[in-house]
Amino acid sequence: MSGKDYVEKDYYKVLGVPKDASATEIKKTYRKLAREFHPDANKGDTKAEERFKDISEAYDVLSDEKRRKEYDEARSLFANGGFRPGGPGGTGSYSFDFGDLFSGSQGGGQGGLGDVFGGLFNRGGRQAQPRRGADVETEVTLSFEEAVDGATVPLRMTSQAPCRLCNGTGAKAGTTPRVCPTCVGSGTVSRGQGAFALSEPCRDCRGRGMIVDDPCPDCHGSGRASSARTMQVRIPAGVQDAQRIRLKGKGAQGERGGQSGDLYVTVHVDAHPVFGRKGDNLTVSVPVTFPEAALGGTIEVPTLNGPSVKLKLPPGSANGLTLRARGKGATRKDGTRGDLLVTVEVVVPQHVTGDALAALEQYREATASDDPRAALFRAAKGA
């Protein structure tokens, strides 16, 4: 990116956020736009691809606290199209037109404010500085079992990387770039203006220090291209729905030897027809008969991907009682497992006939003096 681009492009406008937006707001907006304009979701749409590149470029600057500060300082220096430092003794001013600043002509020597602007544009010397690759966002959907036990899944991602055809040189196969005669390979030129010498990116080579006479047909001379790759990613056991996992160094490749960005994977988990999840514990509802609830006994309970377990049901178990099968839940980070929480659901028969009906009638007569609602009425009357 040239220094001119660094100053002229309004990254806040690209993301549609205010200049005082928080880091969280910038990240949230970027993730929404990245999903909307991702090349995989807009096959063959070149406008969407360009928009995705602009969004990624803007987020690359605004998500980095140091680079965002430098960017804001650079734009404030050139606010209203000019820079007017105070003259000798605090009187008068030197006016620098924004267009002249990036006109591409070469003037006086290095030094003065040139060093300041070189720092702002990350071009403090003749060598272009390494640049960290952009972070990449993607999503994956797992089955309930995969989320509990962990899984290795293939992820197909599209990000910016050095062009494979030209190996990042920007030149067509069989040709090589030549040193820019204007900046002599430095990527910057100096322009004298009164008592100051301002350093600016070379317009002839766009700050690269090299000129491509015969551009690569794939990247059109930029040296960068969209790269699609499939990688195997290990999702740890116990991951939960909507959890965001960071994989360091698995994002877009850096430029000029810079480190790669990070990969952020948002996990979606499909529901299970029998089991649910509460943190590290699994949940299941088990129906029991009225006699089992009243008299107690032993009930058999299914587990996820394992043999069933038998739990003791105490006499007089109420509907909604929760039993616990230890170690039958989801895997924790330390390798241990949570518990299986078993909720008892007392099943009331819809149709009762014959001996069962007679037995229930006898039971009702035997317990006629036991009113389960008596305490309720006493409490309602304040007794």
Side-chain angles (χ1 to χ4, degrees):
M1 184 194 310
S2 69
K4 182 177 179 180
D5 288 338
Y6 200 65
V7 175
E8 283 189 341
K9 290 185 176 180
D10 189 342
Y11 292 137
Y12 294 101
K13 185 176 181 181
V14 171
L15 293 182
V17 297
K19 292 183 179 180
D20 59 352
S22 65
T24 300
E25 184 179 356
I26 289 174
K27 181 183 293 186
K28 182 178 180 180
T29 303
Y30 163 73
R31 292 176 62 188
K32 178 181 178 182
L33 294 174
R35 284 194 296 267
E36 180 180 352
F37 293 99
H38 197 283
D40 286 348
N42 299 272
K43 302 288 187 180
D45 189 338
T46 56
K47 290 184 178 180
E49 184 176 351
E50 290 301 319
R51 177 81 169 114
F52 180 75
K53 292 178 182 179
D54 291 340
I55 293 167
S56 299
E57 181 180 305
Y59 180 69
D60 191 38
V61 173
L62 298 184
S63 63
D64 187 300
E65 183 178 352
K66 181 179 178 181
R67 296 187 67 192
R68 181 181 180 181
K69 181 179 179 182
E70 292 177 349
Y71 170 73
D72 290 340
E73 290 175 350
R75 286 183 62 81
S76 65
L77 284 175
F78 296 103
N80 302 320
F83 172 54
R84 300 174 181 274
T91 62
S93 65
Y94 301 106
S95 177
F96 298 88
D97 182 78
F98 187 79
D100 290 341
L101 180 63
F102 293 103
S103 63
S105 58
Q106 188 172 7
Q110 300 268 351
L113 289 181
D115 295 334
V116 177
F117 295 132
L120 289 177
F121 301 143
N122 292 325
R123 299 182 184 275
R126 299 175 69 88
Q127 293 289 332
Q129 297 298 310
R131 182 177 175 184
R132 180 181 180 275
D135 292 337
V136 177
E137 298 268 350
T138 191
E139 299 179 349
V140 65
T141 299
L142 302 180
S143 68
F144 190 88
E145 291 88 343
E146 288 175 328
V148 170
D149 297 329
T152 299
V153 297
L155 292 180
R156 181 173 176 80
M157 298 173 297
T158 301
S159 60
Q160 289 291 303
C163 176
R164 293 184 178 180
L165 189 61
C166 66
N167 294 319
T169 66
K172 186 178 180 180
T175 68
T176 57
R178 59 185 173 89
V179 176
C180 175
T182 304
C183 65
V184 198
S186 68
T188 60
V189 294
S190 297
R191 179 172 179 79
Q193 190 73 285
F196 297 93
L198 301 180
S199 178
E200 63 178 326
C202 177
R203 290 189 66 186
D204 291 344
C205 66
R206 298 181 180 180
R208 296 188 66 193
M210 307 293 287
I211 290 180
V212 178
D213 295 315
D214 197 357
C216 168
D218 275 14
C219 66
H220 308 291
S222 69
R224 305 286 290 179
S226 293
S227 174
R229 57 190 172 122
T230 299
M231 60 187 302
Q232 299 294 322
V233 173
R234 179 64 185 175
I235 305 298
V239 66
Q240 300 196 42
D241 186 46
Q243 185 173 338
R244 194 164 177 255
I245 300 173
R246 177 193 177 201
L247 300 174
K248 189 175 181 180
K250 299 298 183 180
Q253 296 181 38
E255 295 183 49
R256 299 180 292 275
Q259 64 180 357
S260 296
D262 299 333
L263 171 63
Y264 290 89
V265 183
T266 300
V267 179
H268 302 287
V269 180
D270 288 336
H272 193 279
V274 173
F275 297 95
R277 181 94 177 265
K278 283 186 178 181
D280 296 327
N281 297 325
L282 299 183
T283 62
V284 64
S285 294
V286 176
V288 298
T289 66
F290 175 74
E292 287 177 325
L295 303 177
T298 300
I299 60 173
E300 189 173 8
V301 178
T303 63
L304 183 69
N305 297 331
S308 61
V309 295
K310 292 183 178 181
L311 299 177
K312 185 177 181 180
L313 185 67
S317 295
N319 188 62
L321 173 69
T322 298
L323 306 176
R324 185 183 297 265
R326 299 194 179 278
K328 300 300 180 180
T331 304
R332 300 189 180 102
K333 292 182 179 180
D334 61 2
T336 61
R337 299 183 74 96
D339 301 333
L340 175 63
L341 305 181
V342 181
T343 300
V344 171
E345 291 185 350
V346 179
V347 177
V348 178
Q350 298 297 311
H351 303 285
V352 183
T353 59
D355 292 342
L357 178 60
L360 283 176
E361 289 288 358
Q362 292 178 1
Y363 174 78
R364 180 163 59 181
E365 292 177 4
T367 58
S369 60
D370 298 331
D371 185 359
R373 294 176 288 279
L376 175 66
F377 282 95
R378 287 196 300 268
K381 294 178 180 180

